[in-house]
Amino acid sequence: MHWQTTRHRIDLATPRVMGIVNLTPDSFSDGGRHAGTRPALAHCEELVAQGAHILDLGAESSRPGTAPVSLEEERARLLPVLREALSLGVPVSVDTYKPALMREVLDLGADIVNDIWALRQPGAREAVAAHPSCGVCLMHMHGEPRTMQRVPMEGDAVPQVLAFLQEQTAALGRLGVDKARVVWDAGIGFGKTVEQNFALLARQHELLAGGHPLLAGWSRKSSLGAVTGLAVHERLAPSVAAALLAVERGARIVRVHDVRETAAALQVWNSTISAVLPAQGRAGRSNP
């Protein structure tokens, strides 16, 4: 399984770590510590050194209750960092829902468009479809960031998320976008209850039936705080645990703040899988 992007064909046989680079002054998780071009670039370099396979740059906060920012403000935060991050040797994703900005970052060479609106803003699908090879991550969101947690979705989230992602992918396919370019994200915390979020993790195999690689974004989410009682800055252990559980249930990319710790945990997981497979092979040979 691979993810086709602008400059890279990402091998997903091994789970990949996507490092989060918040360029906003009001991030829920790091309080804008990396806002500004120089701190953001230093953070990009640090995440790559820690083992990030992909960088995800976001210049507009999507935390519940947040207000949107203008295209001009998002551009000013994002573009200077993107230009430099593209030289770091790893795929670079841009977290945006604005079609004009999608076109601009793709012209600069960005590898992936990561859209919380799943390309539902007018012109977004066309912006991606016009590019010959960029990757795209389609995410499920119920409602919109300002109100999504006031009135979360009702009922069984799993079939609703699956149907939504299938519908958005089909719409993109009708514009000629190859399946290999598309990854799905269930949208943990985006208009869902705590119970619905954990149902999406427990029953992740039902989403895998859709035939697209899954990206899991559990890092420091409020659902982890709800079940542990831990504040945002204390959620390292539950974030790593959730990432591992997602990978064990078939996710191929985990989007995280704590790259070093997640990468180390995945090394242990990979070593376990590597040890099991040869043993299975020996068992098979001894029982023809």
Side-chain angles (χ1 to χ4, degrees):
M1 185 178 288
H2 293 80
W3 188 8
Q4 181 61 54
T5 74
T6 299
R7 302 175 300 157
H8 302 264
R9 189 168 182 257
I10 305 170
D11 184 358
L12 299 179
T14 301
R16 300 298 171 181
V17 176
M18 175 183 276
I20 298 170
V21 183
N22 285 318
L23 308 177
T24 61
D26 56 347
S27 166
F28 87 94
S29 62
D30 57 25
R33 285 182 3 187
H34 310 301
T37 302
R38 188 166 296 177
L41 286 172
H43 188 54
C44 289
E45 293 170 353
E46 180 183 21
L47 293 183
V48 172
Q50 291 178 0
H53 304 106
I54 307 166
L55 294 173
D56 188 46
L57 310 184
E60 178 175 350
S61 176
S62 57
R63 63 186 173 85
T66 191
V69 302
S70 68
L71 172 63
E72 292 72 21
E73 179 65 23
E74 190 175 357
R75 286 181 77 257
R77 295 173 182 175
L78 173 66
L79 296 187
V81 181
L82 173 63
R83 290 187 181 99
E84 298 299 326
L86 288 168
S87 67
L88 296 179
V90 300
V92 179
S93 166
V94 173
D95 184 348
T96 188
Y97 60 85
K98 296 182 175 74
L101 192 56
M102 291 178 191
R103 290 190 292 270
E104 192 162 2
V105 301
L106 290 173
D107 286 344
L108 287 173
D111 295 283
I112 298 158
V113 170
N114 181 14
D115 183 5
I116 63 171
W117 282 88
L119 303 180
R120 287 179 291 151
Q121 296 293 324
R125 287 192 196 114
E126 290 77 8
V128 167
H131 193 278
S133 62
C134 72
V136 59
C137 181
L138 300 177
M139 195 196 79
H140 176 275
M141 175 173 61
H142 176 76
E144 51 92 14
R146 282 178 292 183
T147 60
M148 61 189 179
Q149 289 308 116
R150 293 183 208 161
V151 188
M153 64 190 303
E154 298 179 353
D156 187 346
V158 180
Q160 294 182 66
V161 169
L162 176 59
F164 170 86
L165 292 172
Q166 287 175 323
E167 179 182 353
Q168 303 311 316
T169 303
L172 199 54
R174 289 192 289 272
L175 294 178
V177 175
D178 189 84
K179 177 180 178 179
R181 296 169 57 183
V182 181
V183 161
W184 286 359
D185 180 350
I188 301 303
F190 283 80
K192 303 170 182 72
T193 66
V194 173
E195 293 76 14
Q196 287 169 335
N197 287 324
F198 281 102
L200 286 162
L201 178 58
R203 294 161 55 195
Q204 194 172 267
H205 63 280
E206 295 180 39
L207 301 180
L208 288 172
H212 287 270
L214 295 183
L215 182 152
W218 276 90
S219 187
R220 304 181 185 176
K221 290 291 176 72
S222 61
S223 287
L224 300 177
V227 299
T228 63
L230 297 174
V232 170
H233 65 279
E234 300 174 318
R235 294 176 192 163
L236 170 60
S239 294
V240 173
L244 279 179
L245 287 168
V247 166
E248 194 168 53
R249 285 159 172 75
R252 305 320 293 164
I253 307 106
V254 287
R255 183 178 180 273
V256 304
H257 300 86
D258 303 296
V259 167
R260 178 186 289 111
E261 294 82 358
T262 306
L266 286 175
Q267 286 176 328
V268 175
W269 183 86
N270 282 323
S271 296
T272 303
I273 297 301
S274 298
V276 168
L277 292 176
Q280 290 176 339
R282 290 194 297 273
R285 286 192 297 273
S286 62
N287 295 284

